[in-house]
Amino acid sequence: MKYEWRRQEKQLYGAKTTPALVTVPTQSCIMINGEGNPKDTDFSNRVSALYSVAYAVKMAYKKTAKGEYDDFAVYPLEGVWQKIENCELIKEKLRYTLVIRQPDFVGEDGVCAALERTKHRKPNPLLEEVCFGTVPGETCVQLLHVGAYDDEPVSFAKMDEFVHAHSLTRTEEGHREIYLSNATRTEKNRLKTILRYRVK
């Protein structure tokens, strides 16, 4: 049986185009940090390095699976974004962490072993920056943004209005983006991205 995050975790990945509260559980993931404009080659190189590990984990799990699931769909790419300086948005002055979540039934040892095999089979200096980590659970506001990334401020304004209307407080300056579309194969006005930030 294959684990499909789209079907089995609709509360996290079935976001609507109107804001809503969501309780995000503690998650295990692989990640890599970076800085600068997401349109730069360095960004796409970091995405590629992270995916090479994610698919290595998947293939290794399929060969040794013994539990309820014998395969799983690779989770979507996520980006955690922060401004390097407390100023207006300048893409060249962004700090980010790229993340691909790992299923709960895939442990740290399996992920680290797959990472080491990838370093050996597909040498890439960026693989030295990929690591396994755990993101603690949190309460968030999220919304499905449909359209170009440059149009996200309109969706964030809706989220901010929701937070104010429900007497909530945003607890972080940065935010998380979950990319449900392949940006290289999807028209800008059809891109689907879950926007999410922590509240209390």
Side-chain angles (χ1 to χ4, degrees):
M1 180 178 177
K2 184 175 182 178
Y3 188 85
E4 299 276 2
W5 53 267
R6 284 185 184 271
R7 294 181 180 179
Q8 291 160 287
E9 298 186 69
K10 290 182 179 180
Q11 75 281 10
L12 294 180
Y13 302 103
K16 307 298 183 183
T17 53
T18 53
L21 274 178
V22 61
T23 300
V24 181
T26 299
Q27 300 178 355
S28 298
C29 57
I30 53 174
M31 60 186 78
I32 185 171
N33 295 323
E35 291 186 1
N37 194 320
K39 294 182 180 180
D40 291 346
T41 301
D42 182 64
F43 178 86
S44 58
N45 288 343
R46 290 173 186 277
V47 171
S48 296
L50 199 62
Y51 267 117
S52 68
V53 178
Y55 278 98
V57 173
K58 171 185 169 72
M59 297 310 295
Y61 179 81
K62 286 179 66 174
K63 293 179 180 179
T64 60
K66 297 179 181 179
E68 178 181 0
Y69 302 104
D70 56 13
D71 191 8
F72 64 90
V74 172
Y75 278 87
L77 178 71
E78 304 183 24
V80 182
W81 296 91
Q82 299 273 357
K83 297 177 184 176
I84 294 177
E85 300 175 1
N86 188 17
C87 59
E88 62 183 84
L89 177 61
I90 300 174
K91 290 185 177 181
E92 285 71 26
K93 294 185 178 181
L94 288 172
R95 179 181 294 115
Y96 58 84
T97 301
L98 297 172
V99 175
I100 297 179
R101 185 181 167 190
Q102 299 301 296
D104 294 339
F105 49 81
V106 175
E108 180 177 1
D109 289 347
V111 172
C112 292
L115 173 57
E116 291 306 314
R117 284 194 297 273
T118 306
K119 289 178 181 179
H120 178 71
R121 295 173 181 175
K122 301 179 180 180
N124 180 344
L126 287 176
L127 291 174
E128 298 299 328
E129 300 181 40
V130 175
C131 64
F132 177 89
T134 301
V135 179
E138 54 197 12
T139 299
C140 299
V141 168
Q142 70 176 21
L143 174 150
L144 177 66
H145 172 78
V146 180
Y149 300 132
D150 288 342
D151 295 334
E152 288 178 357
V154 175
S155 291
F156 278 118
K158 294 179 182 178
M159 295 167 68
D160 293 342
E161 290 175 5
F162 177 90
V163 168
H164 178 74
H166 291 79
S167 300
L168 298 167
T169 302
R170 182 171 179 171
T171 61
E172 61 179 349
E173 291 186 7
H175 69 276
R176 182 178 295 265
E177 300 183 359
I178 303 173
Y179 307 106
L180 302 181
S181 305
N182 186 327
T184 63
R185 301 177 183 176
T186 307
E187 295 179 10
K188 288 184 178 180
N189 64 335
R190 294 186 177 182
L191 290 169
K192 293 183 178 181
T193 308
I194 296 176
L195 306 179
R196 183 184 290 170
Y197 60 68
R198 294 196 301 267
V199 296
K200 64 178 181 179

